[in-house]
């Protein structure tokens, strides 16, 4: 079964508006971390935000926030005040902490391509 | 700039050949991870080394092998290359492993097998 599901292959947003990118995950491990990465057309992977399974509050980093709904197993990325430079592919990823030797192993979703329109 | 370096940036080779991809982690990082990004398979974890020892293995083919040297740089060796091995290969590093440690990605090596 897919461990990370990103159901939106492509999304469009108007500049300066907010956008939500969806991510659902599947794990039976009580300890896990959720990550979002941005991959611009140049190809590099840029870390955006992290949420731990035991974190009580939703993570925020500047214009990025993670809407973490544990019971629903969702970890949606919210980008506020979109900019043209936000146009990129966005990946949701998970690491499971049950086995310490596997804690660095990231599982990625298929990604969402975000296009910001001027 | 993440501080992780990968060489070469681009590699074009023929089927059946063998190539070596090199990665230098950020200064002080003990863990090195290799990922493959292809159109067919998406982003996949291949293998992790921690302070010279293999730590975790993912969907790495038997034709692929890796190692981490005493100076902590790592090499990914791909042999008997097939067209389907064409992909972007990322190396990432972190101080230690663990679910809450950020992995810093290198710029990637784009491998084209013809």
């Amino acid at each position: 079964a897919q461990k990370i599901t990103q159901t939106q292959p492509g999304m469009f947003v108007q500049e300066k508006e907010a956008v939500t990118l969806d991510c659902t995950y599947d794990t039976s491990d009580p300890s896990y971390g959720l990550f979002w990465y941005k991959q611009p057309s140049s190809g590099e992977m840029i870390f955006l935000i992290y949420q731990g399974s035991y974190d009580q509050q939703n993570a925020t980093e500047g214009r990025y926030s993670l809407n973490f709904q544990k019971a629903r197993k969702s970890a949606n990325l919210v980008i506020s005040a979109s900019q043209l430079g936000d146009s990129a592919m966005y990946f949701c990823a998970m690491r499971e902490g049950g086995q310490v030797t596997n804690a660095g192993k990231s599982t990625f979703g298929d990604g969402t391509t975000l296009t910001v329109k001027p | 700039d993440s501080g992780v370096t990968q060489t070469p940036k681009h590699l074009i080779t023929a089927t059946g050949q063998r190539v070596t991809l090199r990665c230098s982690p950020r200064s002080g990082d003990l863990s090195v991870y290799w990922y493959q990004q292809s159109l067919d398979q998406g982003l996949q974890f291949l293998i992790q080394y921690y302070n010279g020892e293999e730590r975790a293995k993912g969907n790495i083919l038997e034709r692929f092998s890796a190692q981490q040297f005493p100076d902590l740089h790592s090499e990914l060796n791909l042999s008997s290359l097939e067209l389907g091995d064409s992909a972007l290969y990322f190396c990432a590093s972190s101080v230690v492993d663990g679910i809450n440690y950020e992995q810093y990605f290198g710029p990637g090596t784009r491998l084209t097998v013809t």
Side-chain angles (χ1 to χ4, degrees), chain A residues 36-48:
Chain A
W36 278 91
Y37 293 88
K38 173 183 177 182
Q39 186 177 39
S41 57
S42 49
E44 72 267 34
M45 293 288 287
I46 302 166
F47 164 77
L48 295 177

Side-chain angles (χ1 to χ4, degrees), chain B residues 53-64:
Chain B
E53 305 270 328
E54 184 184 299
R55 184 79 153 176
K57 234 172 175 173
N59 299 325
I60 187 165
L61 299 170
E62 281 192 20
R63 301 183 285 108
F64 295 1

